[in-house]
Amino acid sequence: MPPLKHGKIKLMLDVVVMLSGSGTNLRALLEQADKPAAPYRVVAVLADRQADGLQFAAQRQIPNHVVRPADYPNREAWGAEFARIINEYGVDHQRGLVISAGLMRILPPNFVASFAPRLINTHPALLPNFPGAHAVADALRAGVTETGVTVHHIDDGVDTGQVIAQETVRILPDDTEHTLHERIKTVERVLLPTIVAEIATGRRAL
Ligand code: GRF
């Protein structure tokens, strides 16, 4: 994976991905990072549980860590440990990028303060509509005809950070939560790596 070169200066964004689930967004980020001249690399993956998605990091020998909230006295202590590990990879609020790609946990303020504005999330709805953990079901229940994907900054609220990019997904009459979420994730797996590459190359400012 030769890094992009600009004169003699290597341009390579170091990315840390956080997840809780199947990790298909991580897989999409890794597949793009595998391409020649990719402008970023995934340096570590963190999870709050033994998530299936960790396999994609393990397959590439990318360091991966499970840090369980139950092992810490409170959210802040768990967040501090997450932050400490990420800092070990040279990523902080000035360098690198931290991506929540299906981390099903609200990040404590001490964690957000450690990485913002270099801290982004992908959410399966068109924010500010349908924030929270049940965005796909909530959109179906509301009877709207379209929903989508939002890549946004993380702040101290629940899916309230500044929007970076959005894509619309049409809701079909026979959609279930599963079919709709799968279609949304197909769009996320293109949008998220695109945005990360744009941040990495400086085409998009944070
Ligand atoms: C994505 O839809 C993400 O927006 C949501 O959880 C899902 C994660 O999917 N928060 P995956 O683990 O990347 O397959």
Side-chain angles (χ1 to χ4, degrees):
M1 179 179 55
L4 257 194
K5 288 190 177 164
H6 176 74
K8 284 191 171 142
I9 303 165
K10 274 190 204 170
L11 297 176
M12 179 63 85
L13 182 73
D14 285 344
V15 169
V16 173
V17 179
M18 308 182 297
L19 53 75
S20 301
S22 58
T24 64
N25 280 285
L26 168 65
R27 188 186 66 206
L29 287 162
L30 290 169
E31 284 171 356
Q32 180 170 268
D34 284 344
K35 291 183 182 161
Y40 69 86
R41 62 183 171 193
V42 177
V43 293
V45 176
L46 278 73
D48 63 337
R49 63 195 78 175
Q50 196 58 52
D52 288 347
L54 293 169
Q55 64 175 304
F56 299 118
Q59 282 160 8
R60 288 172 168 81
Q61 282 85 47
I62 293 171
N64 51 94
H65 305 262
V66 176
V67 184
R68 290 182 184 81
D71 294 337
Y72 294 84
N74 51 48
R75 248 157 46 86
E76 285 67 28
W78 169 79
E81 178 61 6
F82 243 53
R84 188 193 65 74
I85 294 171
I86 295 170
N87 287 156
E88 281 187 347
Y89 293 95
V91 173
D92 57 27
H93 67 286
Q94 290 179 313
R95 291 172 302 165
L97 183 69
V98 182
I99 303 172
S100 163
L103 179 73
M104 301 307 285
R105 211 155 277 283
I106 298 165
L107 292 160
N110 59 335
F111 184 92
V112 175
S114 297
F115 299 103
R118 310 191 75 81
L119 177 62
I120 69 173
N121 180 46
T122 176
H123 181 77
L126 294 175
L127 293 171
N129 296 329
F130 312 120
H134 309 290
V136 180
D138 290 346
L140 271 178
R141 205 171 303 121
V144 293
T145 55
E146 52 182 41
T147 182
V149 176
T150 303
V151 176
H152 65 97
H153 286 276
I154 295 178
D155 66 8
D156 286 338
V158 177
D159 302 322
T160 51
Q162 193 194 331
V163 171
I164 297 171
Q166 293 186 305
E167 286 270 344
T168 298
V169 175
R170 214 154 57 84
I171 298 181
L172 305 177
D174 57 351
D175 259 333
T176 62
E177 183 179 353
H178 177 74
T179 60
L180 179 56
H181 200 174
E182 285 305 308
R183 251 188 359 276
I184 289 172
K185 283 171 59 164
T186 305
V187 175
E188 284 186 292
R189 291 192 288 259
V190 177
L191 184 64
L192 182 61
T194 302
I195 297 302
V196 175
E198 287 179 6
I199 291 168
T201 55
R203 265 178 294 153
R204 192 179 282 271
L206 280 174

